[in-house]
């Protein structure tokens, strides 16, 4: 039986501290990657979220993509990281009325997906009131997400729900319930072992929740986490965010169990998403090895390289196939 083949990608903004576009693309190209997820980037006018790029900046970036021979796997948008209810809950999370959100933020993410020739938008599942039961808000979240997904479907792009703490979809049980209620081929689930372990799930618990998510999985995010018992999360140097994220071939080995199972899921995902124009099954590295927080992370060029080689070692061990640009590609360019 042939090995499953995945496409490697990563959040390139985690590498260069400057987040300069040229440095991000240089790092990804040096590692042999042909895809990246775009989130924060500096095109000469300061660091911006991808949602804030001007048309001139987009044009310059597309020229760089052609020069580097690299493409965007997904739009790393912050969609869905807003309050579901306009209610004070002690957080700094914003509330935006749904009609305004659909007309502005959602439409902008869809436009960017078209401009950058990707079918995938990374998103989230809304913040319910802090410290309240997410199940109480599941129907309302599903209704609003269904309207976001409907807008994506009309534009033939896919909305990926990333699992993350403090959201309605913070685990496998709530995410699969949202997925089933939305009931569209243009929504999928993005597991992230590190996000779940950072919220106290053991490797066995993470696997249990991953199994619940399986019917809706579209691609996967990769970050490792060191989860010893009774050890608090710590702030990193220079307020870089929460520490204890690690390369995935170290620590608890939660990724080994999940990726061993994901290996068998790859052909099914490919068959489900290929008719929608997705080129393959992405394994997207978001390592956070020097710190991570609510809206991003930092690894440094060195840390990103360490995390990337760690991922490749684990994929080799589990007998995945993937392609990295090598000498043969460079010496035999496509006409």
């Amino acid at each position: 039986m042939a090995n499953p083949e995945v496409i490697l990608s990563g959040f390139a903004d985690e590498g260069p501290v400057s987040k300069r576009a040229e440095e991000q693309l240089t790092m990804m190209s040096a590692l042999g990657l042909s895809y990246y997820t775009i989130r924060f980037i500096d095109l000469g006018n300061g660091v911006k979220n991808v949602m804030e790029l001007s048309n001139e900046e987009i044009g310059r970036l597309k020229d760089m993509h052609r020069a580097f021979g690299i493409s965007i796997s997904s739009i790393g948008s912050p969609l869905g990281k807003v309050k579901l209810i306009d209610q004070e809950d002690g957080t700094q999370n914003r509330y935006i009325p749904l009609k305004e959100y659909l007309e502005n933020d959602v439409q902008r993410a869809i436009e960017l997906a078209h401009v950058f020739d990707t079918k995938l938008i990374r998103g989230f599942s809304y913040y319910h009131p802090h410290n309240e039961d997410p199940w109480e808000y599941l129907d309302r979240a599903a209704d609003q997400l269904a309207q976001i997904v409907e807008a994506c479907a009309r534009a033939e792009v896919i909305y990926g729900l990333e699992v993350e703490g403090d959201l309605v979809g913070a685990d496998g049980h709530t995410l699969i319930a949202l997925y089933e209620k939305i009931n569209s081929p243009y929504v999928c689930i993005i597991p992230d072992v590190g996000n779940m372990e950072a919220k106290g799930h053991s490797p066995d618990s993470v696997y249990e929740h991953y199994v619940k998510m399986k019917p809706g999985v579209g691609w996967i995010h990769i970050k490792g986490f060191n989860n010893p018992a009774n050890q608090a999360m710590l702030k990193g140097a220079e307020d870089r965010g929460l520490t204890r994220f690690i390369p995935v071939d170290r620590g608890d080995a939660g990724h080994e169990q999940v990726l061993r199972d994901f290996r068998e899921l790859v052909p099914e995902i490919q068959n489900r998403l290929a008719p929608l124009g997705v080129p393959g099954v992405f394994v997207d590295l978001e390592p956070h090895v020097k710190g991570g927080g609510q809206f991003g992370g930092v690894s440094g060029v060195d840390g990103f390289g360490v995390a990337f080689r760690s991922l490749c070692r684990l994929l080799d061990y589990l007998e995945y196939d993937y392609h990295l640009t090598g000498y043969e590609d460079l010496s035999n360019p496509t006409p």
Side-chain angles (χ1 to χ4, degrees), residues 54 70 106 118 124 133 138 142 184 206 251 259 272 276 305 309 334:
S54 68
I70 198 165
V106 173
T118 177
F124 299 92
D133 183 358
L138 193 87
S184 168
V206 166
L259 285 172
R272 175 160 39 96
L276 305 181
R309 290 187 290 274
T334 301

Side-chain angles (χ1 to χ4, degrees), residues 59-244:
R60 288 186 54 218
L61 184 55
K62 290 182 70 176
D63 288 342
M64 290 184 196
H65 289 166
R66 285 188 286 270
F68 279 88
I70 198 165
S71 302
I72 286 179
S73 54
S74 67
I75 304 298
S77 84
L79 289 183
K81 276 199 171 181
V82 291
K83 287 181 177 180
L84 184 64
I85 307 287
D86 188 10
Q87 173 181 316
E88 177 56 49
D89 61 1
T91 72
Q92 297 299 311
N93 299 323
R94 299 178 304 149
Y95 171 79
I96 304 174
L98 179 60
K99 183 175 185 295
E100 177 184 339
Y101 205 49
L102 290 169
E103 291 175 353
N104 297 319
D105 298 63
V106 173
Q107 187 57 40
R108 179 57 175 165
I110 289 169
E111 290 170 357
L112 289 167
H114 287 169
V115 164
F116 287 122
D117 195 26
T118 177
K119 292 292 185 178
L120 306 177
I121 297 174
R122 184 282 302 266
F124 299 92
S125 54
Y126 281 99
Y127 291 113
H128 58 290
H130 192 55
N131 289 329
E132 295 190 22
D133 183 358
W135 288 98
E136 296 293 323
Y137 298 92
L138 193 87
D139 287 343
R140 183 161 180 171
D143 177 68
Q144 295 198 183
L145 288 167
Q147 294 181 64
I148 293 174
V149 172
E150 183 180 352
C152 289
R154 289 195 297 267
E156 298 185 328
V157 297
I158 297 166
Y159 188 78
L161 288 166
E162 180 179 350
V163 62
E164 184 169 318
D166 301 321
L167 297 162
V168 175
D171 59 31
H173 298 288
T174 50
L175 268 180
I176 196 63
L178 288 171
Y179 173 81
E180 290 173 349
K181 285 178 177 292
I182 296 167
N183 189 28
S184 168
Y186 288 92
V187 67
C188 66
I189 294 172
I190 311 171
D192 188 314
V193 170
N195 280 354
M196 297 187 68
E197 288 195 350
K199 285 297 181 178
H201 290 275
S202 69
D204 286 342
S205 173
V206 166
Y207 182 71
E208 172 200 333
H209 284 273
Y210 157 78
V211 169
K212 291 293 293 185
M213 299 178 206
K214 280 175 64 172
V217 170
W219 73 101
I220 192 167
H221 281 184
I222 301 291
K223 67 170 70 73
F225 187 75
N226 185 25
N227 195 18
N230 304 316
Q231 181 174 323
M233 294 285 280
L234 302 172
K235 280 287 186 180
E238 302 171 0
D239 289 326
R240 287 180 304 205
L242 299 173
T243 60
R244 290 176 41 215

Side-chain angles (χ1 to χ4, degrees), residues 235-303:
K235 280 287 186 180
E238 302 171 0
D239 289 326
R240 287 180 304 205
L242 299 173
T243 60
R244 290 176 41 215
F245 292 102
I246 57 175
V248 294
D249 64 348
R250 305 180 190 181
D252 305 305
H255 278 88
E256 180 180 339
Q257 191 175 19
V258 168
L259 285 172
R260 189 181 297 279
D261 189 281
F262 186 71
R263 187 180 187 282
E264 308 304 319
L265 194 59
V266 167
E268 187 277 325
I269 298 173
Q270 176 77 53
N271 291 338
R272 175 160 39 96
L273 297 187
L276 305 181
V278 182
V281 179
F282 286 101
V283 173
D284 210 3
L285 182 64
E286 189 188 8
H288 285 15
V289 293
K290 292 186 180 180
Q294 184 179 9
F295 293 106
V298 60
S299 297
V301 172
D302 53 345

Side-chain angles (χ1 to χ4, degrees), residues 12-26:
D13 63 351
E14 288 218 1
V17 175
S18 72
K19 303 198 187 302
R20 294 278 299 190
E22 298 90 338
E23 295 178 20
Q24 291 192 37
L25 300 184
T26 297

